[in-house]
């Protein structure tokens, strides 16, 4: 993995690649069939939350930034707070007959995240967000990347297995799994959910106000009491499109401009995907 290919592979991990300087890692999994601006907006929203959490942690630790910088900053081209996009290999809970090859979905992720990192870097320079330390880091490091570990492993894709692998590569990171409300209401059925909950926190995106606040709060309390899960909620802007809508538009010959990055749209057209 490097700052040009943005891809953390299984061979990278097996070779001992490690990023001890990353302090907050958000995992955003999905089929990304295809990746679109809804996914990217969710990634941005989650990243902002992780940055706020890290800033709060640093305020509570005297001299933590200076000590951390001197010990760890030189080892990584990744930001302290990162989002890893994790395309599914064989999702155990979904039918996958309409999935393009894993390599195609991975390529579309690369194109989208290359553009997203550039957007983030430009916005950081323009707006001078945060402290001087943050501004410098935003210009030199990358907050978004993807990993092919689920596609490279055989068998079903389980969040527990992926989190276990990523924990070795990001030993000092607090890990967050980003999910939607549909997944939030089925967590008790997940593979090794209690063990998973001991490794990470859940960030729940209530997209388009799908669930009532009271319902979410009651559910959060239940999951904590019964399974020891730590959950918090993301405030998401309204998104009026989805991967299924994009596939439907392509099948019907309708325009998909503005719904996903231009580079991804061009790739889909060049490869004649979803037609």
């Amino acid at each position: 993995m490097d700052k040009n290919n943005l891809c953390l592979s299984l061979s990278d991990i097996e070779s001992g690649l490690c990023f001890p300087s990353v302090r907050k890692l958000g995992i955003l999994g999905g089929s990304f069939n295809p990746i679109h601006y809804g996914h990217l907006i969710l990634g941005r929203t989650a990243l902002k939350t992780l940055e706020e959490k890290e800033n709060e942690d640093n305020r509570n630790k005297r001299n933590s930034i200076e000590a951390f910088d001197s010990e760890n900053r030189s080892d990584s081209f990744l930001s302290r707070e990162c989002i890893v996009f994790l395309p599914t290999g064989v999702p155990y809970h979904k039918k996958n007959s309409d999935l393009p090859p894993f390599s195609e979905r991975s390529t579309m992720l690369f194109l989208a995240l290359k553009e997203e990192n550039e957007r983030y870097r430009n916005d950081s320079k323009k707006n001078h967000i945060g402290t001087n330390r943050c501004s410098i880091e935003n210009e030199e490091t990358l907050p978004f990347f993807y990993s092919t570990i689920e596609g490279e492993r055989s068998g079903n894709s389980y969040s527990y297995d992926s989190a276990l692998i990523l924990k070795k590569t990001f030993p000092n990171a607090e890990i967050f799994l980003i999910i939607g409300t549909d997944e939030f209401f089925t967590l008790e059925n997940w593979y090794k959910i209690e063990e998973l909950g001991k490794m990470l926190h859940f960030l729940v995106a209530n997209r388009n106000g799908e669930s009532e606040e009271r319902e979410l709060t009651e559910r959060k309390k239940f999951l904590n009491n019964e399974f020891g899960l730590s959950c918090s909620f993301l405030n998401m802007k309204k998104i009026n499109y989805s991967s299924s809508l994009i596939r439907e538009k392509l099948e019907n010959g309708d325009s998909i401009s503005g719904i996903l990055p231009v580079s991804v749209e061009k790739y889909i057209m060049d490869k004649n995907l979803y037609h």
Side-chain angles (χ1 to χ4, degrees):
M1 178 183 178
D2 58 46
K3 66 191 307 179
N4 294 315
N5 67 25
L6 304 178
C7 177
L8 178 66
S9 68
L10 195 57
S11 60
D12 288 331
I13 295 171
E14 291 172 345
S15 70
L17 183 65
C18 188
F19 295 95
S21 62
V22 174
R23 308 301 289 178
K24 299 283 190 294
L25 178 70
I27 303 172
L28 179 50
S31 57
F32 303 114
N33 185 30
I35 179 82
H36 56 73
Y37 279 129
H39 298 125
L40 298 177
I41 291 170
L42 176 54
R44 295 172 199 171
T45 304
L47 179 65
K48 182 178 179 181
T49 296
L50 299 192
E51 290 172 337
E52 291 171 350
K53 287 180 179 293
E54 180 64 10
N55 287 336
E56 180 64 27
D57 288 349
N58 285 333
R59 282 193 290 270
N60 295 330
K61 297 176 183 176
R62 184 179 181 183
N63 296 326
S64 62
I65 294 178
E66 289 78 4
F68 181 74
D69 281 344
S70 62
E71 294 175 8
N72 293 304
R73 189 62 257 161
S74 63
D75 71 351
S76 180
F77 52 84
L78 293 177
S79 302
R80 281 197 183 90
E81 306 83 25
C82 292
I83 304 295
V84 55
F85 286 69
L86 200 63
T88 53
V90 182
Y92 75 95
H93 59 294
K94 290 184 178 181
K95 294 181 179 179
N96 63 337
S97 59
D98 63 341
L99 281 179
F102 185 80
S103 60
E104 302 277 18
R105 290 182 287 127
S106 296
T107 299
M108 288 188 282
L109 263 176
F110 165 73
L111 293 170
L113 296 181
K114 181 180 179 181
E115 182 176 312
E116 190 68 2
N117 280 318
E118 187 64 28
R119 182 206 63 80
Y120 183 84
R121 188 181 297 113
N122 289 338
D123 284 352
S124 297
K125 291 178 181 179
K126 180 180 178 181
N127 299 321
H128 302 288
I129 299 173
T131 64
N132 289 335
R133 189 273 301 173
C134 292
S135 297
I136 293 172
E137 178 176 303
N138 287 342
E139 295 180 17
E140 298 178 347
T141 60
L142 306 174
F144 301 108
F145 66 102
Y146 72 101
S147 177
T148 53
I149 59 174
E150 292 201 348
E152 294 178 78
R153 302 200 322 266
S154 59
N156 290 330
S157 296
Y158 294 107
S159 296
Y160 171 81
D161 295 329
S162 297
L164 202 60
I165 292 172
L166 290 170
K167 187 65 178 175
K168 296 177 182 178
T169 307
F170 300 90
N172 297 325
E174 188 176 4
I175 298 179
F176 299 79
L177 185 61
I178 305 158
I179 61 174
T181 51
D182 51 346
E183 297 165 306
F184 180 57
F185 283 97
T186 63
L187 281 177
E188 64 266 40
N189 300 321
W190 282 30
Y191 177 68
K192 293 190 175 181
I193 185 59
E194 290 186 64
E195 292 91 334
L196 179 63
K198 293 175 183 177
M199 284 194 287
L200 51 75
H201 308 274
F202 293 89
L203 285 181
V204 185
N206 188 23
R207 292 166 291 196
N208 301 340
E210 295 167 330
S211 301
E212 296 287 341
E213 183 175 347
R214 179 180 176 182
E215 186 180 17
L216 292 173
T217 301
E218 291 176 353
R219 177 70 176 171
K220 174 182 176 179
K221 184 177 180 181
F222 165 77
L223 291 171
N224 180 258
N225 291 339
E226 295 295 321
F227 303 100
L229 305 187
S230 172
C231 305
S232 55
F233 303 104
L234 294 173
N235 293 319
M236 281 289 296
K237 64 187 296 185
K238 190 170 183 178
I239 298 171
N240 294 318
Y241 42 81
S242 63
S243 292
S244 59
L245 175 62
I246 292 171
R247 295 196 301 271
E248 182 180 342
K249 283 179 172 292
L250 287 165
E251 288 172 2
N252 295 333
D254 297 331
S255 172
I256 57 171
S257 292
I259 301 178
L260 70 179
V262 173
S263 57
V264 177
E265 180 181 354
K266 184 178 185 301
Y267 184 84
I268 289 173
M269 297 306 179
D270 289 345
K271 294 290 185 177
N272 199 34
L273 299 177
Y274 308 112
H275 289 82

